[in-house]
Amino acid sequence: MKITDVEAIWLRVPALDQACEWGEDALIVRIHTDTGLIGLGETDSSPAVVKALIETPASHETCQGLRQVLIGENPLEIDRLWKKMYRSTEYMGRRGVAIHAISALDIALWDIAGQHYQVPVHTLLGGKYRDRIEAYGTFIPAATDEQNHAIVARLLSQGLRSIKLGGAGFGENLPRDAHILRKIREQVGDEVQIQIDLVGRWLNSSHAMAQCNALREFNLGWIEEPLSSDDLRGLAYLAEHAGIPVSGGEGLATRHEFRAFLEGSRPAIVQPDITRCGGISEMLHIYEMAQEYGARLVPHGFSTGILLAATIHFLASREFGNLIEYSQSDSPLFRGLVKNLTPLENGSVKVSDTPGLGIVLDEDMVQRYRVRK
Ligand SMILES: [Mg+2]
């Protein structure tokens, strides 16, 4: 089998001069083969930049567009192709957006392999530990108590027992933050886990400690990215003294960044995004490393049903892969791009046993939202 073409497809719901809030644009890839099998992948990144990384012509050996790198290759040689892609983008890559592009292509290669061998991707990864995976839901706090009450009620009605809030300035006003959390804790009771996402908003470790001291009474499951991911000493201080589990890592790429993060900040939880960290292949390395450091891996995941499927197959195949983020976006790219989107049912998702990733794209939606540039 040989790769005959690589498509980088930029999707966007609002017009280019309008803002996206969450989940309204995407970069998906299709890898075509001479046997007719097509692999699907995606990355949650800047679509135009990733598209350029895939389509650019070669400048020299360590600066090549990834489409050209893959055409003519056997898609089943995933490990060799990952290393070839990494080396071929060494000068412009190694981290960040080049790894995002590689992530999308790696996921598509695993999809092809599963279809070729007629087994689900989780079987290729060693087999599944579970048939269902518990989910948690994320929301952006609204302006009023009544609105937040309605949002949380909607999450609970989906059977979720774990929820997370962040964004809209959460983390910038301690009395307001504490008020929001008090109301939510009163609403959900003691059994539901609540997490908060600071997106690196707290200023430094002493500022963050003051926030933690004030918020500890709400019994938070974790505090996510309380400081910049580069403030390893500050994060390590919080890990030791905050008395609340610290999590982070959704913006990190490759095992190399995760090793520095785990070693330097000793988080309780790492949150690689399978579409950014290097794909399914790299996620396996990061999972093993997290185990060595005693950290739990709870992936970040907030884009289309392609990301969701890849994350489900990965988690199903890991011994401790028992919590997944389920997007609460109403974007058509989440709700409808994958025709057989894995639904959230009573707070959990089912593990698919269909060969490959087991997903079908809505071609009409691809045509409707495709940016042709
Ligand atoms: Mg986050």
Side-chain angles (χ1 to χ4, degrees):
M1 183 165 41
K2 283 201 171 9
I3 295 172
T4 53
D5 198 7
V6 176
E7 281 183 279
I9 301 168
W10 176 6
L11 301 172
R12 190 175 169 102
V13 178
L16 284 176
D17 59 357
Q18 294 171 339
C20 288
E21 188 182 38
W22 57 353
E24 291 96 354
D25 70 349
L27 189 288
I28 67 171
V29 299
R30 272 199 288 228
I31 297 182
H32 298 262
T33 64
D34 60 359
T35 64
L37 293 182
I38 297 172
L40 294 172
E42 82 158 310
T43 178
D44 182 4
S45 183
S46 174
V49 182
V50 173
K51 190 170 159 63
L53 257 152
I54 291 173
E55 294 178 350
T56 192
S59 296
H60 54 75
E61 197 179 327
T62 48
C63 250
Q64 302 186 48
L66 292 169
R67 177 176 182 271
Q68 203 170 326
V69 168
L70 289 180
I71 286 179
E73 292 283 3
N74 179 350
L76 301 177
E77 297 172 4
I78 300 175
D79 189 67
R80 186 178 66 77
L81 293 182
W82 200 102
K83 291 185 170 70
K84 186 184 181 193
M85 290 192 283
Y86 187 81
R87 272 197 297 274
S88 304
T89 51
E90 189 177 335
Y91 284 4
M92 58 181 170
R94 293 177 56 251
R95 303 293 184 269
V97 75
I99 303 300
H100 301 169
I102 291 173
S103 304
L105 297 165
D106 176 84
I107 291 167
L109 292 174
W110 282 100
D111 187 24
I112 290 171
Q115 293 175 60
H116 176 76
Y117 295 115
Q118 281 294 295
V119 293
V121 168
H122 59 70
T123 297
L124 296 177
L125 302 179
K128 64 178 175 179
Y129 278 88
R130 56 194 65 80
D131 293 314
R132 300 196 71 86
I133 302 170
E134 292 295 315
Y136 80 86
T138 304
F139 70 100
I140 300 172
T144 69
D145 292 343
E146 292 71 26
Q147 287 169 309
N148 282 330
H149 193 278
I151 294 170
V152 170
R154 183 182 151 204
L155 293 170
L156 297 181
S157 74
Q158 298 171 65
L160 292 167
R161 310 298 292 161
S162 182
I163 61 178
K164 184 175 89 184
L165 64 148
F170 189 88
E172 291 173 352
N173 180 335
L174 184 56
R176 175 178 171 266
D177 299 342
H179 174 79
I180 290 171
L181 286 172
R182 181 166 292 111
K183 287 288 180 190
I184 293 173
R185 182 53 85 197
E186 282 170 10
Q187 181 181 356
V188 304
D190 292 333
E191 300 300 312
V192 171
Q193 187 169 296
I194 303 172
Q195 287 78 239
I196 58 173
D197 188 350
L198 288 317
V199 203
R201 258 195 194 91
W202 288 346
L203 306 178
N204 51 44
S205 58
S206 57
H207 176 251
M209 270 306 293
Q211 315 287 309
C212 288
N213 288 337
L215 301 180
R216 199 171 290 111
E217 64 173 295
F218 303 114
N219 190 23
L220 300 170
W222 70 71
I223 47 173
E224 182 166 321
E225 297 196 312
L227 303 171
S228 158
S229 297
D230 294 324
D231 186 0
L232 297 179
R233 268 182 291 210
L235 289 167
Y237 184 87
L238 292 181
E240 192 165 346
H241 299 288
I244 309 172
V246 176
S247 75
E250 69 184 71
L252 305 181
T254 76
R255 74 196 79 173
H256 310 296
E257 284 197 340
F258 276 93
R259 181 183 294 114
F261 186 67
L262 284 157
E263 181 69 35
S265 77
R266 299 295 171 126
I269 298 161
V270 286
Q271 299 167 295
D273 185 313
I274 204 161
T275 74
R276 292 185 198 137
C277 72
I280 294 169
S281 300
E282 196 66 4
M283 195 71 143
L284 296 168
H285 295 290
I286 294 164
Y287 175 88
E288 291 305 323
M289 198 182 292
Q291 292 298 305
E292 289 173 27
Y293 282 89
R296 185 179 181 197
L297 189 151
V298 180
H300 175 269
F302 213 96
S303 189
T304 80
I306 303 173
L307 174 151
L308 180 64
T311 306
I312 289 172
H313 281 275
F314 164 76
L315 283 176
S317 75
R318 296 301 97 184
E319 186 178 4
F320 302 110
N322 53 2
L323 186 62
I324 191 167
E325 180 168 22
Y326 196 91
S327 173
Q328 296 296 312
S329 173
D330 288 321
S331 166
L333 295 184
F334 177 63
R335 300 287 161 192
L337 179 67
V338 167
K339 278 185 177 174
N340 56 342
L341 176 75
T342 308
L344 181 61
E345 298 165 318
N346 198 20
S348 68
V349 294
K350 188 173 186 300
V351 176
S352 164
D353 291 322
T354 308
L357 292 175
I359 50 178
V360 180
L361 281 190
D362 182 334
E363 292 299 332
D364 292 339
M365 194 171 281
V366 172
Q367 294 313 316
R368 192 175 327 143
Y369 296 120
R370 189 169 191 163
V371 179
R372 299 188 186 277
K373 268 185 170 259

